[in-house]
Protein backbone atom coordinates (compact mmCIF):
# COMPACT_ATOMS: atom_id res chain seq x y z
CA UNK A 1 0.00 0.00 0.00
CA UNK A 2 1.05 3.59 -0.46
CA UNK A 3 2.52 5.49 -3.36
CA UNK A 4 5.93 6.13 -4.83
CA UNK A 5 8.00 8.10 -7.28
CA UNK A 6 10.40 7.38 -10.10
CA UNK A 7 13.72 9.05 -10.80
CA UNK A 8 14.80 8.13 -14.32
CA UNK A 9 15.75 9.59 -17.66
CA UNK A 10 17.32 12.59 -15.94
CA UNK A 11 13.96 13.55 -14.39
CA UNK A 12 15.56 14.51 -11.08
CA UNK A 13 19.01 15.51 -12.38
CA UNK A 14 18.80 19.13 -11.26
CA UNK A 15 17.62 18.41 -7.71
CA UNK A 16 21.12 17.64 -6.45
CA UNK A 17 22.27 21.10 -7.64
CA UNK A 18 19.59 23.13 -5.82
CA UNK A 19 20.97 25.41 -3.14
CA UNK A 20 20.25 24.81 0.52
CA UNK A 21 17.86 25.14 2.22
CA UNK A 22 15.61 24.66 -0.84
CA UNK A 23 17.01 21.25 -1.73
CA UNK A 24 16.39 19.91 1.78
CA UNK A 25 12.88 21.39 1.84
CA UNK A 26 12.01 19.60 -1.41
CA UNK A 27 13.49 16.31 -0.17
CA UNK A 28 11.56 16.67 3.11
CA UNK A 29 8.31 17.21 1.21
CA UNK A 30 8.98 14.09 -0.84
CA UNK A 31 10.23 11.63 1.76
CA UNK A 32 9.43 12.57 5.37
CA UNK A 33 6.70 10.33 6.81
CA UNK A 34 3.35 12.04 7.45
CA UNK A 35 4.53 15.21 5.75
CA UNK A 36 4.04 16.41 2.19
CA UNK A 37 3.96 13.56 -0.34
CA UNK A 38 5.25 11.09 2.27
CA UNK A 39 6.36 8.65 -0.43
CA UNK A 40 6.45 4.96 0.42
CA UNK A 41 8.65 3.83 -2.48
CA UNK A 42 11.48 5.35 -4.52
CA UNK A 43 12.39 3.75 -7.84
CA UNK A 44 15.64 4.82 -9.49
CA UNK A 45 17.21 4.17 -12.85
CA UNK A 46 20.41 2.17 -12.95
CA UNK A 47 22.46 4.49 -15.14
CA UNK A 48 23.89 2.83 -18.22
CA UNK A 49 25.88 5.55 -20.00
CA UNK A 50 23.02 5.61 -22.52
CA UNK A 51 20.38 8.10 -23.58
CA UNK A 52 17.39 6.83 -21.65
CA UNK A 53 14.73 9.54 -22.06
CA UNK A 54 15.56 13.17 -21.35
CA UNK A 55 19.20 12.65 -20.53
CA UNK A 56 22.04 10.22 -19.99
CA UNK A 57 22.68 8.70 -16.59
CA UNK A 58 26.19 7.61 -15.64
CA UNK A 59 26.89 3.91 -15.24
CA UNK A 60 28.51 2.45 -12.15
CA UNK A 61 30.76 0.37 -14.45
CA UNK A 62 32.08 2.01 -17.61
CA UNK A 63 34.28 -0.77 -18.97
CA UNK A 64 35.12 -4.37 -18.31
CA UNK A 65 38.77 -4.39 -19.50
CA UNK A 66 40.07 -3.04 -17.24
CA UNK A 67 37.15 -3.10 -14.82
CA UNK A 68 36.30 0.50 -14.06
CA UNK A 69 33.73 0.67 -11.28
CA UNK A 70 32.62 3.94 -9.69
CA UNK A 71 29.92 3.77 -7.07
CA UNK A 72 29.79 7.54 -6.77
CA UNK A 73 28.75 8.29 -10.36
CA UNK A 74 25.52 10.10 -11.02
CA UNK A 75 22.84 11.24 -8.63
CA UNK A 76 20.62 8.18 -8.16
CA UNK A 77 22.81 6.87 -5.32
CA UNK A 78 22.55 10.29 -3.69
CA UNK A 79 18.77 10.32 -4.05
CA UNK A 80 18.42 6.86 -2.49
CA UNK A 81 20.59 7.98 0.43
CA UNK A 82 18.53 11.14 0.95
CA UNK A 83 15.25 9.21 0.80
CA UNK A 84 16.44 6.63 3.35
CA UNK A 85 17.80 9.34 5.66
CA UNK A 86 14.35 10.91 5.82
CA UNK A 87 12.37 7.68 5.91
CA UNK A 88 14.30 4.51 6.85
CA UNK A 89 11.22 2.42 6.00
CA UNK A 90 10.87 3.65 2.42
CA UNK A 91 10.98 0.82 -0.12
CA UNK A 92 13.76 1.04 -2.69
CA UNK A 93 13.69 -0.20 -6.27
CA UNK A 94 16.24 -0.04 -9.08
CA UNK A 95 15.73 -0.75 -12.78
CA UNK A 96 17.81 -0.52 -15.96
CA UNK A 97 16.78 1.51 -18.97
CA UNK A 98 19.96 0.56 -20.80
CA UNK A 99 23.50 -0.66 -20.20
CA UNK A 100 26.94 0.02 -21.67
CA UNK A 101 27.52 -1.78 -24.96
CA UNK A 102 30.14 -4.12 -23.53
CA UNK A 103 27.56 -5.82 -21.29
CA UNK A 104 26.65 -9.12 -22.94
CA UNK A 105 28.06 -8.08 -26.32
CA UNK A 106 24.67 -6.68 -27.28
CA UNK A 107 22.70 -9.50 -25.63
CA UNK A 108 20.80 -8.09 -22.69
CA UNK A 109 19.91 -11.40 -21.08
CA UNK A 110 23.39 -12.63 -20.26
CA UNK A 111 25.54 -13.54 -17.28
CA UNK A 112 27.28 -10.16 -17.70
CA UNK A 113 23.91 -8.44 -17.30
CA UNK A 114 23.28 -10.34 -14.07
CA UNK A 115 26.75 -9.40 -12.81
CA UNK A 116 26.18 -5.76 -13.83
CA UNK A 117 22.97 -5.59 -11.78
CA UNK A 118 24.53 -7.37 -8.80
CA UNK A 119 27.41 -4.87 -8.84
CA UNK A 120 24.86 -2.03 -8.66
CA UNK A 121 23.23 -3.64 -5.61
CA UNK A 122 26.66 -4.08 -4.03
CA UNK A 123 27.51 -0.41 -4.66
CA UNK A 124 24.31 0.72 -2.98
CA UNK A 125 24.88 -1.56 0.01
CA UNK A 126 28.65 -1.11 0.42
CA UNK A 127 28.94 2.64 -0.11
CA UNK A 128 25.55 3.88 1.06
CA UNK A 129 24.42 1.23 3.55
CA UNK A 130 21.18 0.57 1.67
CA UNK A 131 19.83 -2.86 0.76
CA UNK A 132 17.53 -2.57 -2.24
CA UNK A 133 14.07 -4.04 -1.77
CA UNK A 134 13.40 -4.66 -5.48
CA UNK A 135 15.48 -5.02 -8.62
CA UNK A 136 13.83 -4.79 -12.02
CA UNK A 137 15.00 -6.48 -15.19
CA UNK A 138 14.65 -3.97 -18.03
CA UNK A 139 12.30 -1.03 -18.53
CA UNK A 140 9.67 -1.37 -21.27
CA UNK A 141 11.34 -4.36 -22.90
CA UNK A 142 10.56 -8.06 -23.22
CA UNK A 143 11.29 -9.75 -19.93
CA UNK A 144 13.27 -12.71 -21.25
CA UNK A 145 12.68 -16.37 -20.66
CA UNK A 146 11.42 -17.79 -17.36
CA UNK A 147 14.78 -19.53 -17.00
CA UNK A 148 16.64 -16.20 -17.08
CA UNK A 149 14.27 -14.51 -14.63
Amino acid sequence: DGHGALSAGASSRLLVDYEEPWRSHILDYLFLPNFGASLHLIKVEIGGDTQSTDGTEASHIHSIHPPLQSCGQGYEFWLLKEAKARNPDILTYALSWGMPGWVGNGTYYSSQSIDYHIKFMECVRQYYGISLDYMGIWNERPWGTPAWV
Side-chain angles (χ1 to χ4, degrees):
D1 294 343
H3 60 283
L6 167 65
S7 172
S11 62
S12 58
R13 165 60 193 95
L14 298 178
L15 183 55
V16 70
D17 295 329
Y18 278 41
E19 291 182 18
E20 289 294 349
W22 314 117
R23 179 179 54 223
S24 287
H25 291 324
I26 293 167
L27 292 166
D28 289 348
Y29 275 109
L30 290 171
F31 301 118
L32 282 178
N34 304 310
F35 182 78
S38 188
L39 296 174
H40 298 98
L41 180 138
I42 179 69
K43 180 177 175 181
V44 299
E45 176 177 349
I46 299 172
D49 291 337
T50 62
Q51 167 62 0
S52 59
T53 304
D54 298 318
T56 301
E57 298 210 26
S59 173
H60 58 290
I61 306 176
H62 299 289
S63 67
I64 191 167
H65 298 295
L68 180 58
Q69 183 166 335
S70 177
C71 294
Q73 291 284 17
Y75 49 90
E76 301 293 9
F77 293 115
W78 170 83
L79 188 59
L80 284 170
K81 179 180 67 91
E82 293 295 325
K84 277 292 197 183
R86 287 164 171 79
N87 180 358
D89 295 326
I90 196 168
L91 296 174
T92 55
Y93 184 155
L95 177 68
S96 290
W97 265 244
M99 294 185 290
W102 62 263
V103 178
N105 290 323
T107 303
Y108 189 89
Y109 302 108
S110 65
S111 61
Q112 279 186 332
S113 175
I114 293 168
D115 292 342
Y116 183 82
H117 286 82
I118 289 171
K119 292 287 186 193
F120 182 85
M121 289 189 299
E122 290 173 349
C123 277
V124 173
R125 186 175 56 241
Q126 182 178 358
Y127 292 93
Y128 299 94
I130 298 169
S131 294
L132 292 170
D133 296 294
Y134 303 101
M135 175 66 76
I137 299 172
W138 195 7
N139 183 54
E140 300 175 0
R141 301 293 196 285
W143 55 270
T145 66
W148 192 88
V149 175

